[in-house]
Amino acid sequence: LVGGSAVTLTLPGIAGIILTLGMAVDSNVLINERIREELANGRALATAIANGYSRAFKAILDSNIKTLIAAAMLFQFGSGPIKGFALTLALGLIASMFTALYVTRTIFLLLLNLGWIKNLPMMKVIAETKFDFVRYRYVFMSASAILIAVTMINFIQKKDSAYGIDFAGGQIQEYKFKTPVSSEKLREVLKEAGVTEVVIQRFDLNPENVIIRTSEDTHTAVEGALKEKLADNPADLLRIEKVGPVVGKHLRERAVWAMLLAMGGILVYVALRFKHWDFATAGVIALVHDVLVALGVTVALGHQVDLLTVTALLTIAGFSINDTIVIYDRIRENMAKSHKYNLRDIINLSLNQTLSRTILTSFTVLMVTVALYLRGGEVLNTFSLCLIIGFIAGTYSTIYIAAPLVLAWQKKTK
């Protein structure tokens, strides 16, 4: 219940829960990684636990506050489904932050005081690394720029066909045939009935299901043609939806404004928190990179952009900037205590120190999204695919876009 009334859990709301799950896992991974570092430095268990929570606090606080700022912008300026995403995300973040910082710590201390734990052995995912991540930064930046350019050109060339019914307007009909029928046969049947401008979408998991998208109301003509020409293969109408082009344009504009304002809020907060616009701008550029890569590749693979896709892009943005904040926090910490190192060495050191946490968090979130893609059905197919692409891009951009950009700009300034 929210405000005394029942709230329906929608698919965008589920997306908010997915991002909350990822950030909750990340918070606990951050704490445990810090505790492990303290134990490796010879601290007593009680001291290691206390220091672990203390050192992880800033990164957890920063990542959750900037996401709450974005959620507030989305709730204020987004449309209905985006508001649902923002609401579940905000509630989930508050609950997960409280649990990570206080509930788990209380359990740790209770077990410690009762003498039930005397040591805390932890398995390390990967051994200590010394990769030179920033060495080929310009190569990776160039590759990302080319990928974005190619996929965005493809997106622009597709025009209205790149958009789903939520944004482009028109009518969508979904039928389930007794046995699968080819797209060519369907197109021939519909053409004989006078329905020429049609987009036919099929699904590998359920080949009997077919989506027929047209720019006008063609339900009567389509249903009549199917009954007449495919009488031996009856089709059941699963759903029919219609959205006017004016409504679609309005939804598209509100979605764009919601994302722009959310990114603006993140930019200002990161700049104030890290006291440098280079960090904030590089983080937002990495965020935009992830959103454009996810959007462009999803459309290039033949999927359309609808409100669920926008929700997936918002989820990607939250995950991406959260990953970047964790790296920035470690860079800030190392800059404060490692005056003998230059910025390049500090960035490489920070990326290597947080690599284990990056792999653990990304793997956990990807397990959820892959499960959605494989078992979520047709409705979640595009949504989950977009998330998978975006989460991979987000992990990549934190290492090869956000941090190296800071180094490039600081060198230019000097």
Side-chain angles (χ1 to χ4, degrees):
L1 296 179
V2 177
S5 60
V7 176
T8 302
L9 183 61
T10 60
L11 289 176
I14 294 174
I17 294 174
I18 292 171
L19 181 54
T20 300
L21 174 64
M23 295 187 69
V25 169
D26 192 35
S27 297
N28 285 282
V29 169
L30 276 171
I31 293 168
N32 291 333
E33 288 284 339
R34 288 291 193 170
I35 292 174
R36 177 164 55 192
E37 289 176 7
E38 293 295 314
L39 291 172
N41 290 330
R43 304 284 193 275
L45 182 56
T47 305
I49 291 174
N51 290 350
Y53 277 90
S54 176
R55 293 181 183 277
F57 177 76
K58 284 185 180 179
I60 295 173
L61 182 66
D62 286 339
S63 59
N64 280 275
I65 286 181
K66 57 80 191 164
T67 307
L68 286 172
I69 291 173
M73 295 292 182
L74 296 175
F75 187 83
Q76 180 66 32
F77 299 101
S79 57
I82 295 176
K83 285 180 182 288
F85 168 81
L87 180 61
T88 54
L89 176 60
L91 293 175
L93 284 179
I94 293 171
S96 66
M97 186 163 59
F98 174 77
T99 302
L101 293 175
Y102 297 104
V103 176
T104 58
R105 184 172 187 172
T106 301
I107 295 173
F108 261 133
L109 294 176
L110 178 62
L111 295 176
L112 191 64
N113 292 333
L114 290 174
W116 290 3
I117 55 172
K118 306 253 183 223
N119 53 57
L120 202 60
M122 292 186 180
M123 181 181 69
K124 197 171 183 65
V125 176
I126 56 175
E128 184 178 349
T129 59
K130 294 183 179 179
F131 297 126
D132 189 355
F133 286 106
V134 301
R135 181 178 181 181
Y136 301 104
R137 58 190 180 277
Y138 295 115
V139 174
F140 288 109
M141 289 179 189
S142 300
S144 291
I146 293 171
L147 176 62
I148 290 173
V150 170
T151 54
M152 286 299 102
I153 290 173
N154 172 71
F155 180 83
I156 294 170
Q157 288 178 339
K158 286 194 172 185
K159 298 180 180 179
D160 287 344
S161 64
Y163 295 102
I165 191 168
D166 294 332
F167 295 139
Q171 188 179 66
I172 185 170
Q173 304 169 55
E174 183 174 0
Y175 292 90
K176 182 176 182 179
F177 289 86
K178 183 178 180 181
T179 58
V181 57
S182 68
S183 299
E184 292 75 16
K185 178 64 175 177
L186 268 179
R187 203 177 302 277
E188 181 184 337
V189 168
L190 295 175
K191 186 177 181 180
E192 291 179 3
V195 183
T196 54
E197 295 183 4
V198 59
V199 175
I200 297 175
Q201 187 175 355
R202 314 181 60 85
F203 303 100
D204 293 335
L205 296 179
N206 296 95
E208 300 87 1
N209 288 28
V210 175
I211 287 180
I212 300 173
R213 179 178 175 270
T214 56
S215 58
E216 299 177 353
D217 183 357
T218 59
H219 169 59
T220 302
V222 169
E223 194 169 48
L226 295 180
K227 288 181 178 178
E228 180 183 351
K229 303 293 183 180
L230 299 174
D232 57 338
N233 188 12
D236 295 326
L237 178 64
L238 300 182
R239 64 183 171 117
I240 181 169
E241 300 174 6
K242 184 176 182 180
V243 176
V246 176
V247 176
K249 182 180 179 181
H250 175 69
L251 289 174
R252 194 189 316 177
E253 290 175 351
R254 293 205 63 171
V256 171
W257 274 109
M259 292 193 69
L260 289 176
L261 290 170
M263 290 181 187
I266 291 172
L267 176 68
V268 172
Y269 177 78
V270 176
L272 294 175
R273 194 71 177 89
F274 289 89
K275 298 181 175 62
H276 214 297
W277 284 97
D278 284 358
F279 282 87
T281 308
V284 171
I285 288 176
L287 185 155
V288 173
H289 164 277
D290 303 335
V291 169
L292 291 180
V293 167
L295 175 63
V297 174
T298 300
V299 173
L301 292 175
H303 296 263
Q304 292 181 319
V305 181
D306 54 17
L307 281 174
L308 269 182
T309 310
V310 172
T311 306
L313 296 176
L314 295 172
T315 309
I316 292 163
F319 176 84
S320 173
I321 196 64
N322 179 65
D323 202 28
T324 303
I325 287 290
V326 172
I327 304 296
Y328 281 178
D329 185 73
R330 186 58 70 100
I331 292 173
R332 176 175 58 184
E333 179 183 322
N334 287 331
M335 287 176 69
K337 67 181 183 182
S338 303
H339 299 290
K340 63 179 180 179
Y341 294 117
N342 58 37
L343 183 59
R344 176 195 174 100
D345 293 336
I346 289 175
I347 289 176
N348 268 326
L349 175 65
S350 303
L351 290 171
N352 279 285
Q353 287 176 338
T354 55
L355 184 59
S356 177
R357 166 258 155 207
T358 299
I359 293 174
L360 280 172
T361 302
S362 301
F363 179 72
T364 303
V365 177
L366 279 173
M367 282 197 303
V368 177
T369 50
V370 169
L372 278 178
Y373 180 76
L374 295 176
R375 307 298 297 175
E378 292 83 2
V379 176
L380 290 177
N381 186 265
T382 301
F383 169 75
S384 51
L385 176 64
C386 187
L387 284 181
I388 292 170
I389 297 168
F391 287 158
I392 294 173
T395 303
Y396 156 83
S397 70
T398 298
I399 297 174
Y400 292 110
I401 304 295
L405 269 179
V406 174
L407 175 62
W409 286 339
Q410 296 237 339
K411 278 189 173 182
K412 186 177 180 181
T413 301
K414 291 179 180 180

